Amino acid sequence: MTETLQWREPGKTLSDGSRFKDWRKIEDSGTWHWQYDTHEMTFAIYEHDGQYWKFYQLRWVPEGGDGYAYGYGGQACRAVLVSYRRRTRSPHSSRLMMAGDLEWIRTYEFDAALHEVVKAGEENAKYGAPYGPKQSAA
């Protein structure tokens, strides 16, 4: 299954040979979340190759530093934007979601009983189904 793309050269190229600068950013969460007593994390959604991808970005203050250093998480995950059908715990973020709340989740986290699709990538031979339990292309 092709649900993730790893960095070939962090911040520059990915395992499918694409250049990150050619990807189109469509949404930026705009919120930094404290993680593990060491760094903060945010995410942005990019469109590439007919799919939506979630990239995590990290920031931290190096020991003895007076400003932030930045980096990316280890991979991009295929994502789908969903609306929650009812009040429930998110399978992605573990947050309590209300009916109608929107969230970008990983494609394989989609559950038709909990989610209604708002935005998804295209189904194709390279990636397979854009979300849900159907098997992706090899």
Side-chain angles (χ1 to χ4, degrees), residues 20-27 45-48 52:
F20 188 50
K21 70 179 186 173
D22 295 333
W23 290 39
R24 187 171 69 95
K25 185 189 282 190
I26 63 165
E27 186 175 323
I45 302 297
Y46 289 80
E47 189 173 7
H48 166 69
Y52 296 103

Side-chain angles (χ1 to χ4, degrees), residues 40 42 119:
E40 295 170 273
T42 190
K119 190 179 284 191

